Amino acid sequence: MFSGSVDAYNEADASSSNCTGCRSVAIAFQIVADGRVPSYVNVGNNASAVNTDCVNCQTLGVAYQFVIAKPLVLTWYDRSRLWAIDMKLWSLQWSYASPDYVANRVQQLADETSQILANAGHGYWPLVHRYLTWRH
C-alpha cells in the first residue's frame, strides 16, 4: 500500500461439531506494510477454536498479525523467505501433527517472520507484533 492510513483485520476460526475424533486447524498470518509511514493505524486480530457436541476432537485456531509502522518495500530475497514460511504453514495446517506440535511450530515460524520483517529494507525499524494465543 501507499496510503496515509492502515485498516486491517486478521482472523482464524477453527470449529468442529457433532463428530468423533476429528481435528480442525485454522492458521492465519497477516503482514501489513505500507510504502509510507501511516498517520492512522486501525488493526484487529482474532483466533477461535470451538468444539460443539464433539467426542475426542482437537481444534486449534492461531492468528498472527505483523504491522510494520515504517515505509517498507520487501526485496525479492525477503519475499522468497516469507513465501517459504507460508508453504511451511500450509503444510502444518494439513498435517496430522498434534495441536501442541502445530502451535509450537507456528510460534517458531512467527519468530522467523518477525526477524525477516525487522531486518527488511534498510536496517532495524519498529515492528508491532500482535498475536492472539491459541486454544484447543
Side-chain angles (χ1 to χ4, degrees):
M1 299 184 294
F2 286 94
S3 64
S5 65
V6 173
D7 194 7
Y9 187 75
N10 185 40
E11 186 170 15
D13 293 320
S15 64
S16 299
S17 63
N18 301 313
C19 51
T20 301
C22 73
R23 177 181 177 271
S24 60
V25 174
I27 301 169
F29 264 48
Q30 182 182 54
I31 298 171
V32 180
D34 202 321
R36 301 178 354 177
V37 176
S39 58
Y40 174 77
V41 177
N42 179 30
V43 294
N45 190 45
N46 186 47
S48 68
V50 178
N51 286 334
T52 306
D53 298 324
C54 292
V55 178
N56 296 324
C57 295
Q58 297 179 329
T59 305
L60 173 67
V62 184
Y64 282 86
Q65 184 179 52
F66 304 88
V67 180
I68 298 111
K70 70 172 183 171
L72 177 69
V73 177
L74 296 171
T75 66
W76 286 107
Y77 178 67
D78 293 332
R79 288 174 185 255
S80 69
R81 292 173 63 201
L82 291 171
W83 181 82
I85 289 172
D86 188 45
M87 293 300 102
K88 291 174 186 175
L89 289 168
W90 276 104
S91 67
L92 278 174
Q93 183 168 337
W94 297 108
S95 73
Y96 291 102
S98 72
D100 289 333
Y101 174 82
V102 172
N104 288 332
R105 185 66 180 125
V106 169
Q107 177 63 56
Q108 292 170 352
L109 294 170
D111 292 342
E112 285 181 41
T113 301
S114 291
Q115 285 302 310
I116 293 167
L117 295 173
N119 294 302
H122 303 287
Y124 284 88
W125 287 81
L127 172 65
V128 179
H129 180 184
R130 299 187 64 199
Y131 63 93
L132 191 69
T133 56
W134 57 276
R135 300 177 220 157
H136 73 272

